[in-house]
Amino acid sequence: MSVKSCEKLEKSIVALTVEVSADDFEAAVNKAYLKARKKISVPGFRPGKATRKIIEGMYGTEVFYSDAVDIALPDAYEAAVEAEKLSVVGYPTVELEGEVTKDGFTFKATVPVYPEVKLGQYKGLSAPKAEVKVTAADVDSRIKELSDRNTRLVSVERPVENGDTAVIDFEGFDNGVAFDGGKGENYPLEIGSGSFIPGFEEQVVGMNVGEEKEINVTFPEDYQKDLAGKAVVFKVKVNEVKVKEAPSLDDEFAKDVSEFDTLKELKADLKKKIAAEREEAATRSFEDALMSKVADGIECDVPDAMVDSQVEKFVENFKSQIQAQGIPYEQYLKMTGSEEQKLKDDAREPAQRQVRLDLAVAAIINEEKLEATDEDVEAEYKNLSEKYSMDVEMVKKYLPREQIEAQVLNEKAIAVVRDSATAEPVEEKKKKAPKKKDEGGEEGGEKPVKKSAKKSAKKEEKEPEPTEEQK
């Protein structure tokens, strides 16, 4: 094998022209013969016993050339890539040049390679960083979360009220006939949760323990086919009425839910933890803003193959997330009316940003001559074992050293940028005063957009899920 030329094209594409010698091709032809001889029928010979010369005499000297090219070309390509010290990032496009003869053949391989990256400014940058504040209300909110987790249900002797949990027996009837999935016994229904079909829970309010009642409701039009839009009757009996009893927020509460002896100590610890969480979030946001500037500042010709590969990663990660929620990917596409190509198109822009960021980080690692020492790697393994409450050796089993080294180097590169940067205060958006109505009673300008409320933290214990017919 010899490389006749190595030409750099646009978008980090390299065109290799490679010549396979007569000796290398002869060796490939012989391999092709040995591989195919048992499949070739030759009169007078048992399968696999006919010599190469006899077969070539019957079918022509070129009978093994096609298979021989398939054998010789990959090895020649790999050797050429190594000889030219190319870092390829995709699959090559290959075409033969000229004829294949006993003297060998020539081919041209066009392949994307890792691009040359010229760093812009990556030190002395600036970006906004939020000031971390923790108020008494923040701490009280965490205390309430702990209280909610430790709230218990206690029985009461009174009629059902909104917010109570009514333990009920129920059975649904459509024109006097019980329907499938419409029956339950000792079901704990939280009144006001909206977990049953509209109108059901409201009619349970006021019922006493032991009382039986017929509840008339109509299933929604978009319900399952057999019951959609139908008026049905549920026979309901209340077995028990329960109310939430929250624990007293005192020192005993602190002892029950934490390692602290007093509520004051618990609150102090929660304040410290909230501050640490927010500081970490502010730092991550600060780093993201800085690294975005670094990625925007690099000069390089990014090959499409790198972006395509990142798009595939994004889509595969999305598939995993959907399936982790118990939804088959194909079913998700049907439910949402989506197509995979649309997902890939939407992922292309963020994929391009991610590739540029990865290239920038790699360039900083190279420029700063950063290394991941044994101590760095072991420290990261220890950190992960503590974070996930796993034995260090178990973490090492699931996370190979190469992955940890890459993570350490990535963090070191970001630290180079962060530690030399300046944090700017985050500008608070000024609230606009409401505009006065004109004489016609119309308000001038656009209406302000209403901010969505933050989602509440997930509870550790969930209420039982209703059946399809109960929704």
Side-chain angles (χ1 to χ4, degrees):
M1 183 280 303
S2 63
V3 179
K4 296 179 68 176
S5 68
C6 180
E7 182 184 1
K8 292 183 179 180
L9 307 177
E10 62 179 7
K11 298 211 76 172
S12 300
I13 302 294
V14 166
L16 284 170
T17 302
V18 182
E19 186 177 68
V20 176
S21 67
D23 290 342
D24 289 339
F25 186 59
E26 167 58 25
V29 170
N30 200 53
K31 285 182 181 179
Y33 154 69
L34 294 174
K35 186 177 179 180
R37 61 182 176 178
K38 290 183 179 180
K39 300 177 183 178
I40 298 176
S41 177
V42 178
F45 290 88
R46 286 178 296 163
K49 296 300 181 180
T51 64
R52 173 181 158 186
K53 187 175 182 179
I54 289 174
I55 295 173
E56 287 178 338
M58 287 188 62
Y59 296 99
T61 57
E62 299 176 353
V63 64
F64 298 114
Y65 279 13
S66 179
D67 290 342
V69 168
D70 291 341
I71 292 171
L73 195 149
D75 291 341
Y77 167 73
E78 292 295 337
V81 167
E82 185 176 349
E84 295 299 321
K85 295 180 171 57
L86 300 178
S87 178
V88 301
V89 295
Y91 295 105
T93 299
V94 178
E95 57 181 338
L96 295 176
E97 293 193 338
E99 296 183 359
V100 178
T101 69
K102 63 182 180 60
D103 295 324
F105 63 94
T106 300
F107 68 90
K108 183 177 182 179
T110 305
V111 62
V113 297
Y114 195 89
E116 295 179 3
V117 180
K118 182 180 178 182
L119 277 168
Q121 183 182 357
Y122 66 95
K123 290 182 178 180
L125 297 171
S126 62
K129 183 180 179 183
E131 181 183 356
V132 173
K133 296 179 182 178
V134 181
T135 66
D138 296 327
V139 176
D140 288 343
S141 178
R142 290 291 178 92
I143 289 289
K144 186 178 184 305
E145 289 177 15
L146 289 173
S147 174
D148 290 343
R149 290 177 199 163
N150 289 274
T151 294
R152 63 194 184 102
L153 292 173
V154 296
S155 295
V156 292
E157 294 296 330
R158 62 162 173 75
V160 177
E161 296 178 4
N162 196 45
D164 291 348
T165 294
V167 181
I168 62 173
D169 294 339
F170 63 89
E171 186 170 14
F173 296 86
D174 176 16
N175 290 320
V177 180
F179 53 82
D180 291 338
K183 184 177 181 179
E185 294 182 355
N186 288 318
Y187 185 87
L189 173 63
E190 183 179 346
I191 306 302
S193 64
S195 56
F196 273 37
I197 60 175
F200 185 100
E201 295 170 24
E202 291 85 346
Q203 296 182 62
V204 177
V205 173
M207 292 181 67
N208 288 291
V209 174
E211 182 180 348
E212 297 183 23
K213 181 179 179 180
E214 289 189 354
I215 290 177
N216 295 283
V217 291
T218 301
F219 280 100
E221 293 293 339
D222 58 354
Y223 203 71
Q224 65 184 46
K225 187 177 179 181
D226 293 342
L227 295 170
K230 283 191 175 182
V232 299
V233 175
F234 278 94
K235 293 182 179 179
V236 178
K237 179 183 178 182
V238 175
N239 298 323
E240 192 175 6
V241 180
K242 293 184 175 183
V243 297
K244 292 179 181 178
E245 186 178 82
S248 298
L249 301 181
D250 52 21
D251 291 345
E252 288 303 315
F253 169 76
K255 291 177 184 178
D256 290 340
V257 301
S258 71
E259 70 273 26
F260 300 104
D261 293 327
T262 67
L263 185 62
K264 183 178 180 181
E265 290 174 315
L266 173 59
K267 286 186 174 183
D269 182 67
L270 288 174
K271 184 174 182 179
K272 187 186 301 182
K273 287 179 178 177
I274 295 170
E277 292 168 6
R278 292 182 178 178
E279 179 59 37
E280 182 179 359
T283 299
R284 291 299 180 197
S285 180
F286 178 56
E287 291 173 346
D288 289 346
L290 292 171
M291 295 308 297
S292 180
K293 288 186 176 182
V294 176
D296 289 342
I298 65 171
E299 293 181 19
C300 70
D301 208 357
V302 181
D304 291 336
M306 292 186 76
V307 178
D308 294 339
S309 177
Q310 188 61 54
V311 166
E312 292 296 332
K313 288 180 183 177
F314 281 167
V315 173
E316 287 303 314
N317 287 340
F318 180 73
K319 286 182 183 179
S320 298
Q321 291 172 8
I322 290 296
Q323 291 169 350
Q325 297 175 28
I327 306 173
Y329 177 63
E330 294 300 327
Q331 182 180 330
Y332 167 82
L333 293 179
K334 290 179 180 178
M335 287 167 52
T336 58
S338 303
E339 294 182 358
E340 185 166 278
Q341 187 56 50
K342 177 65 166 55
L343 294 178
K344 291 182 177 180
D345 292 342
D346 291 343
R348 194 154 193 85
E349 185 177 340
Q352 289 171 335
R353 291 198 301 270
Q354 184 62 52
V355 169
R356 288 185 66 86
L357 178 59
D358 292 343
L359 291 171
V361 169
I364 292 172
I365 293 170
N366 183 60
E367 181 70 21
E368 296 289 326
K369 297 179 174 56
L370 301 176
E371 295 181 351
T373 65
D374 290 341
E375 291 78 10
D376 293 330
V377 173
E378 289 303 317
E380 185 60 24
Y381 272 127
K382 184 180 179 182
N383 177 52
L384 290 171
S385 71
E386 292 173 353
K387 183 177 180 180
Y388 297 107
S389 300
M390 294 175 63
D391 183 75
V392 173
E393 294 305 316
M394 185 63 69
V395 177
K396 289 181 177 180
K397 180 180 178 181
Y398 289 105
L399 296 176
R401 181 183 177 89
E402 294 76 14
Q403 184 175 336
I404 298 299
E405 287 178 345
Q407 186 173 321
V408 168
L409 287 172
N410 186 76
E411 291 174 356
K412 284 190 173 186
I414 293 174
V416 168
V417 178
R418 180 194 64 228
D419 294 345
S420 66
T422 302
E424 300 173 341
V426 177
E427 291 185 11
E428 294 185 8
K429 294 181 179 180
K430 294 181 179 179
K431 294 182 179 179
K432 293 182 179 180
K435 295 185 178 182
K436 295 180 180 179
K437 294 182 179 181
D438 59 25
E439 294 180 358
E442 296 292 331
E443 289 185 357
E446 297 179 354
K447 293 183 180 180
V449 177
K450 184 177 181 181
K451 294 182 179 178
S452 59
K454 292 183 180 179
K455 294 182 179 178
S456 59
K458 293 182 179 178
K459 296 181 179 179
E460 290 183 355
E461 298 181 4
K462 294 183 178 179
E463 297 289 324
E465 294 289 338
T467 63
E468 284 298 314
E469 283 71 29
Q470 296 162 9
K471 293 181 182 176

